[in-house]
Amino acid sequence: MNRLRALAAAPFVLALAAHLLLLVLWYDRLPDPLATHFSAGAGGKADGFTSLAGYAAVSSGLLVALGAAWTLLVRRGALWGTWATAGFAGGLLDLLLRDNLDAADPAEVTAPLATLTVAAGIAAMAALAGRALTRLVPVDPAAQDGPDGPSRVRRLELGAHEVAGWSRDTGSRGAAALSSAFLLAGAAAPVPAVLFTPWPYALIALVGLAVGLPGLALSRVRVAVDRRGLTVTPALFPRPRIRIPLDEITSATVQDVDALAEFGGWGYRTRPHRSALLLRSGEALSVRRANGFEFLVTVPDAETAAALLDALAARAREGAGPGGRGAPEVPGTPGTPGASDVPGASGADGVRI
């Protein structure tokens, strides 16, 4: 852990050192105040200014704050993100100094949009360096639990003709609030785009709707285990829906997932041979498929879901009982996912047999 934190702090130390060095070397060539804010609608012309001393204090404080946060929260799988953040922030702050260099009047300073492209390129190269340095950090054995490790759960015992179903709602208030904010911004942006200028409000509208709508749809979902397999359905919309049939499941287990470290964040995430719907870190239902891929979803009471799903999948593989795919319908099972698959179930969360 000490090595990991040292590697996480390193890019911010380098970025801060480079930034302070440029401030010292260019001090006599920089105007006071500096142009620090630019209008996208006026060709990147300066419309906001900060004293040289104030800029030095704020920019240095920003790098220190970002470095402290990443050093405290970093995980092995997210080390590349630490370096990318330091590269982007440090690069952008230094490029702003370059734009102000030798300016007689700070009001005439411009910052083209290409500056962001250059900063993004620096971030990409830094991310590659961080990714390469990840191999210097030992892997936590606790993070390597697989279907045969400590995450294995005891299979639920079912009779040959017993029918069972389990369902549980899970969600993230933070994701719902953030997605709603994106949606509101996207819905409101067309007004100034029509009244004033399309840029950048058209982009805000596009990003707000593209991020907010699917984010809100997946901010609360219902996870169900029944004779069809595993089904994950948004609580607010009928789509997108994730369904894994029983005959494609080889095992179901419980894993403790760190969303940021293992997948780089929350929401629907993909990695080589893995995909996940992560609304938080912690207990997750892990499903291994016959094609070698793994799907995870964070949900309360994942152990019960895994035990039932493992039992139903095993019975489907054996071709016995109504749990297999393509098996005859059982009287009283109307086909609705969750506990309502069981005769007499009220639809409450939990397991019914």
Side-chain angles (χ1 to χ4, degrees), residues 29 116 118 125 169 176 194 208 223 248 250 259 273 327 341 348:
R29 299 174 60 188
L116 293 175
V118 174
M125 290 188 291
D169 284 341
V194 173
V223 182
E248 294 182 11
T250 59
H273 302 288
D341 278 354

Side-chain angles (χ1 to χ4, degrees), residues 314-328:
R315 190 165 64 178
R317 289 193 299 270
E318 295 167 1
R325 192 180 184 188

Side-chain angles (χ1 to χ4, degrees), residues 76 138-151 255-256 262 288:
R76 184 180 185 275
V139 178
D140 183 4
Q144 295 183 305
D145 291 345
D148 299 319
S151 61
Q255 290 191 28
D256 190 57
E262 296 183 48
R288 294 278 180 174

Side-chain angles (χ1 to χ4, degrees), residues 34-50:
L34 291 172
T36 54
H37 189 273
F38 305 88
S39 173
K45 191 173 181 179
D47 61 358
F49 308 91
T50 306

Side-chain angles (χ1 to χ4, degrees), residues 234-261:
L236 300 178
F237 305 97
R239 294 288 190 277
R241 181 177 63 187
I242 300 169
R243 174 168 288 170
I244 304 178
L246 290 177
D247 61 358
E248 294 182 11
I249 298 172
T250 59
S251 68
T253 61
V254 177
Q255 290 191 28
D256 190 57
V257 177
D258 188 322
L260 186 61

